[in-house]
Amino acid sequence: MLEKRTPIPVSEAVKKVMSIPQKQKTEQVHLHKAYRRTLAEDLIAKHPVPPFDRSPYDGFAIRSQDSSEASRDNPITFQVIETIGAGSVCSREVQSGEAVRIMTGAMLPKNCDAIVMLELAHAFSENETNYMTIKREFPAGHNISYQGEDVATGTILLKKGTVINPGTAALLATFGYEYVTVAKQPTIGVFATGSELLDLGDPLEPGKIRNSNTHMLLAQIERAGAIPYYMGNLPDEFDLCYNRVKEAAEQVDMLITTGGVSVGDFDLLPEVYAKLEAEVLFNKIAMRPGSVTTVAVWQDTLLFGLSGNPSACYVGFEVFVKPVIGTSMLQTKPHLQKVKATLIEPVPKANPFTRFVRCALSYSNDQLQVAPSGFNKSSAVSSLAKTVAFMVLPGGTRGYTTGDLVDVLLLESSEGSEWPWE
Amino acid sequence: MLEKRTPIPVSEAVKKVMSIPQKQKTEQVHLHKAYRRTLAEDLIAKHPVPPFDRSPYDGFAIRSQDSSEASRDNPITFQVIETIGAGSVCSREVQSGEAVRIMTGAMLPKNCDAIVMLELAHAFSENETNYMTIKREFPAGHNISYQGEDVATGTILLKKGTVINPGTAALLATFGYEYVTVAKQPTIGVFATGSELLDLGDPLEPGKIRNSNTHMLLAQIERAGAIPYYMGNLPDEFDLCYNRVKEAAEQVDMLITTGGVSVGDFDLLPEVYAKLEAEVLFNKIAMRPGSVTTVAVWQDTLLFGLSGNPSACYVGFEVFVKPVIGTSMLQTKPHLQKVKATLIEPVPKANPFTRFVRCALSYSNDQLQVAPSGFNKSSAVSSLAKTVAFMVLPGGTRGYTTGDLVDVLLLESSEGSEWPWE
C-alpha cells in the first residue's frame, strides 16, 4: 500500500523536464497586439536611424564656413531662403550667405553642415525678404543628428526570444513592422482533483473547500505568457479521472493537474499515468513544499502533477512549468531570475531539503532585502498574495538569521535566468 | 514669434496633473478575467481558513488520550472504523480505542484531537476488521491544521487598489468570488502629430520617418493597466488637428498627443489648446528630456501633450500619465517605484535640470546596480528596448561617477510609490 519513492534533487528534476522537446511554433500578429509576446526572429535594422542627417532643434541651417568670421563685433547676416518643417525637403541647394529656417526633425538641406539654434539668431524681415544675424562661429557638424548615428543598417537590435516591451514596440515601428513574427503561446489545461473541492459559486459544506489552485494557476500561466484553459474539477473517481485527463491531454500543449499525486488512498494520478502508459520523469523531489510534484510525458505532452497544497502548487508551477513555457516560446532565459538578497527576518527552521520560502522584497538604499511574506505552512493561501519572490534555502542547511545573504528567485521580473540551479 | 515659457520643477508639474480629479468607476469581471486588474473593494475573509480543523497529512485520526500509554514496549492497537477522504465527513463520533483512516485535507472526526502520520502506524486486517498499532504517544493537537489558523473571519486580506496577481486570484477563489469588483480601466487615445510621419506599412521617403511613439505609447498604456485607442497621425494642418483632437477628447478618458508642443512654426498644439479654451497646467518643465511636455484640461479631460522625441515621450508618459491612470483605478501607490542603485558607469554630463536617464539594472550579490541602457540622445530609439528603469539625477548637480548612489524609478515593478518626488 505504501509506495516507496526516491526523491531527486530540484536541479535534476528541472533538467528532466527541460529535456523533453517542445514544439516551437510561430505566428504573425499586428504590432498593436504584440506587447508581452516573444520575438520569433531577430530584429535587424532595415535602414539607418536617423535615416538622414537632420536637425535636432528648431533653428537655421547654414554652411558653417559662412559663419567663420562672425563675432559680437562682426555680426553676419544671412538671407533666409526657405522654411522647412519636419517631413519637408529644401527645394534647392543652399548658396553662400543663405540660411534655411528648419524645424526639429527636418532633413538637413544640401550644402548645409551646421544648425544655429533659434535662440542664438536674430531674425528680421526687410522688403518682404527674411534675414537672420549671428554673432559667433558655428563649426561644421554643430547640432546635427547624423544619419545612422543611433543605429546602422544591418545592426541586430534584438535577438529572437526577446519579450516585447514598449521600447521594443517603438523599434519595431521604426522599421515598419506592421506585423510581427512572434512565438505562438502554448495552451495549458488545468484540472483540480479532489472530491473535497467546491466550485467558485458553491456555498461552503462541511469538510469541503473551494478550489483555489486552479484560479491561481490560470493567472500564473497568463503571467508566464501562455494561454490557460480551465478544465474544472475532477472527483476522486478513477474512470472519470482517466478519461478526462486523456481527452484534455489530446487538446492542449501541456496539462496541469493539482492534487492527487501523493500516496493517499484517493490519490489517483499515479494510476492514471500508469494506465495511460505515460513515462513518469519523477514523482518525488528533495524540496519543500512540493516534494510529491510529479511530471510525466504522454505522446510528447507534458503532464504536470502539482501538489494540491496551494504553496506547493505555486512553487511547482514556477519552478517546473514556467521554464517549459518560456522554452516553447524561444526564450533563452526561461527560468525565474535569480539574485541575492539580505534577510531582514530570521528563518530559523532547518532545511533537510531545498526549501522555497514565499517572500516579499524591499530596498534599503541599494541593498535588496527579503523577508517571508507571512504564514508559511504549505496550505496557507493568505501569504501568496504578497509573494513576489521565493527564497531558495539549500538542503542540508540549518536555519538562517537576519543579515544572511540568500538566493532569491524573482517572480515578477521580465529578465529571467538561463539556469538558476547549481 | 518666440513665446516665453517659464519652466516649473518636475514635482510641481506632477502635483498639478494629479490635482485634476479622475473618474473612478468600477465594474464586475469574472475571476478568470481579473488577472492584472485592480481590486475596487477590500477583500475580506468571509469565513475562517481552514474552514474546519483538518488533517495536513495522510494518516489516522485518534483521541490523543488513547495513545498516552503507548511505547515501544507497549504498542497500542486501535480499531479503524472508517476511511475518509478530503471532502468526506466521518459518519459518527469516535470512541475510545477507535481510529479513522484520514486523507490530507479531510475534516477531523468528532472527538479526535491528533493525527498519526501513515509512516508511524502499522496497519493490518484481521477477520475483515481493520486495525493499526502505534508505539509512541501523540499529544493533543499533534499534526492538526486548526480552523482559522491561516485566516480568521473578517480579516481584511487585501485593500482596494491592490493589483490582482496569481496569489490574489487564489484568495478570491478561496472566498468564492466568482465575479470580482474591479476598477474600470480608463480609455486613452493616442495621436502622433507631424507631417514627417509615415504609417507602419509606408515605404521610407526623403525627410520622413515612421511614427514610433504611438506604438510605444500603446504598449506603455497597456503596461500601466489602461485601454489604449490608436487614433493615427495628425498632419501639420490646424483645422484638421483641432477638429480631430476635439472629437477624440470627447470619446476617451484621457488624450495623448506626441509632438507639436514645442515653439516651432509647425507646433500646433498650443494653438489647439487655446482654441479649445483648455486650461494649460504647464508647458515647460525643468527636466531633460521632455522639457516641452505640456498638460491641459478640457471639460475634465486631461490632454497630455508629450514631446515628439521618443525618449522624452517615453519619460513623459511614465512620469505624468501613468500615475493618473493608477489613481483613476484607485491605486494608492500610482507612481513608479523609487529605489536607490549604485552606478557602474560614469554619467559625466552636468545636470542643469532634473535629468532622466534610461537605464538597465543588474545585481552584484544583494547590491542593485545601474547603468545607462545605451545611446542617450533624446531622439534615440535603440536604447529604449533595453530600458527597465530611469535614473533621476537632480538639477543643479555635476556629473556622476562609478560607485555613486543614485535614485532609480522602476518601470516593470508592480509595487509603485506613493510620492517619489522630494
Side-chain angles (χ1 to χ4, degrees), chain A residues 163-185:
Chain A
V163 178
I164 295 172
N165 66 23
T168 319
L171 272 182
L172 287 162
T174 298
F175 296 105
Y177 288 89
E178 188 172 3
Y179 290 87
V180 189
T181 306
V182 296
K184 215 165 170 181
Q185 302 170 278

Side-chain angles (χ1 to χ4, degrees), chain B residues 241-386:
Chain B
C241 246
Y242 170 81
N243 288 327
R244 292 194 57 196
V245 166
K246 183 164 182 284
E247 210 177 277
E250 284 164 348
Q251 289 166 7
V252 293
D253 293 320
M254 302 167 213
L255 185 66
I256 299 176
T257 52
T258 107
V261 286
S262 197
V263 291
D265 297 359
F266 298 110
D267 288 316
L268 300 175
L269 265 300
E271 272 178 82
V272 169
Y273 298 144
K275 185 164 174 190
L276 280 171
E277 296 180 23
E279 180 198 354
V280 174
L281 300 180
F282 51 82
N283 57 17
K284 187 100 183 166
I285 309 170
M287 68 186 266
R288 295 285 182 277
S291 64
V292 295
T293 306
T294 301
V295 180
V297 190
W298 180 69
Q299 297 186 353
D300 298 332
T301 299
L302 278 168
L303 310 177
F304 292 94
L306 304 183
S307 163
N309 278 322
S311 298
C313 177
Y314 194 108
V315 170
F317 177 88
E318 298 294 336
V319 171
F320 299 107
V321 188
K322 182 196 141 72
V324 177
I325 292 172
T327 302
S328 88
M329 296 196 301
L330 301 154
Q331 292 168 11
T332 50
K333 295 162 114 190
H335 301 273
L336 293 172
Q337 187 181 5
K338 182 171 149 187
V339 301
K340 285 191 187 286
T342 293
L343 264 172
I344 53 171
E345 263 180 42
V347 185
K349 219 166 162 182
N351 308 291
F353 304 100
T354 306
R355 187 184 305 280
F356 294 87
V357 183
R358 299 180 298 287
C359 56
L361 299 172
S362 54
Y363 287 91
S364 172
N365 280 329
D366 61 346
Q367 186 186 54
L368 183 62
Q369 301 184 327
V370 66
S373 52
F375 196 87
N376 234 323
K377 285 206 185 175
S378 66
S379 60
V381 293
S382 64
S383 69
L384 285 176
K386 288 161 193 162

Side-chain angles (χ1 to χ4, degrees), chain A residues 324-399:
Chain A
V324 177
I325 292 173
T327 302
S328 87
M329 296 196 302
L330 301 155
Q331 292 169 11
T332 50
K333 295 161 114 189
H335 301 273
L336 294 172
Q337 186 182 6
K338 181 170 149 186
V339 301
K340 286 193 185 285
T342 293
L343 265 172
I344 53 171
E345 261 181 41
V347 185
K349 219 166 162 182
N351 307 292
F353 305 99
T354 307
R355 187 185 304 280
F356 293 88
V357 184
R358 300 179 296 288
C359 57
L361 300 172
S362 55
Y363 288 91
S364 171
N365 280 329
D366 60 347
Q367 186 185 56
L368 183 63
Q369 301 185 326
V370 66
S373 52
F375 196 87
N376 233 324
K377 284 207 187 174
S378 66
S379 60
V381 294
S382 65
S383 69
L384 285 176
K386 286 162 194 161
T387 298
V388 296
F390 302 139
M391 263 180 255
V392 187
L393 306 178
T397 54
R398 291 176 171 276

Side-chain angles (χ1 to χ4, degrees), chain A residues 54-61 84-86 100-108 114-120 138 141-145, chain B residues 262-265 267 284 288 291-292 309 349 355 377-379:
Chain A
R54 68 186 178 192
S55 175
Y57 299 114
D58 292 330
F60 295 95
I84 51 169
V100 173
R101 176 89 165 86
I102 192 168
M103 304 300 149
T104 305
M107 186 165 145
L108 195 68
I115 301 292
V116 178
M117 281 178 80
L118 213 53
E119 297 88 320
L120 300 176
F138 291 86
H142 190 79
N143 277 340
I144 289 171
S145 282
Chain B
S262 197
V263 291
D265 297 359
D267 288 316
K284 187 100 183 166
R288 295 285 182 277
S291 64
V292 295
N309 278 322
K349 219 166 162 182
R355 187 184 305 280
K377 285 206 185 175
S378 66
S379 60

Side-chain angles (χ1 to χ4, degrees), chain A residues 9 26 32 41 45 76 112 126 134 199 228 249 255 262 281 288 291 354:
Chain A
T26 65
H32 293 176
E41 292 175 354
I76 294 184
C112 291
E126 237 176 60
I134 54 174
D199 268 332
L255 185 66
S262 198
L281 300 181
R288 295 285 182 276
S291 65
T354 307

Side-chain angles (χ1 to χ4, degrees), chain A residues 32 35-36 52 58 86-87 101 150 165 174 196 210 215 218 223 264-265 342 363 366-368 380-382 385, chain B residues 32 35-36 58 86-87 101 149-150 165 174 196 207 210 215 223 264-265 342 363 366-368 380-382 385:
Chain A
H32 293 176
Y35 175 54
R36 288 204 184 100
F52 44 81
D58 292 330
R101 176 89 165 86
D150 190 5
N165 66 23
T174 298
E196 78 276 25
R210 290 206 192 81
H215 310 288
L218 298 176
R223 179 165 69 186
D265 298 358
T342 293
Y363 288 91
D366 60 347
Q367 186 185 56
L368 183 63
V381 294
S382 65
Chain B
H32 293 176
Y35 175 53
R36 289 205 182 99
D58 291 331
R101 175 90 166 85
E149 72 172 7
D150 190 7
N165 65 22
T174 298
E196 77 277 24
R210 289 205 193 81
H215 310 287
R223 180 166 66 187
D265 297 359
T342 293
Y363 287 91
D366 61 346
Q367 186 186 54
L368 183 62
V381 293
S382 64

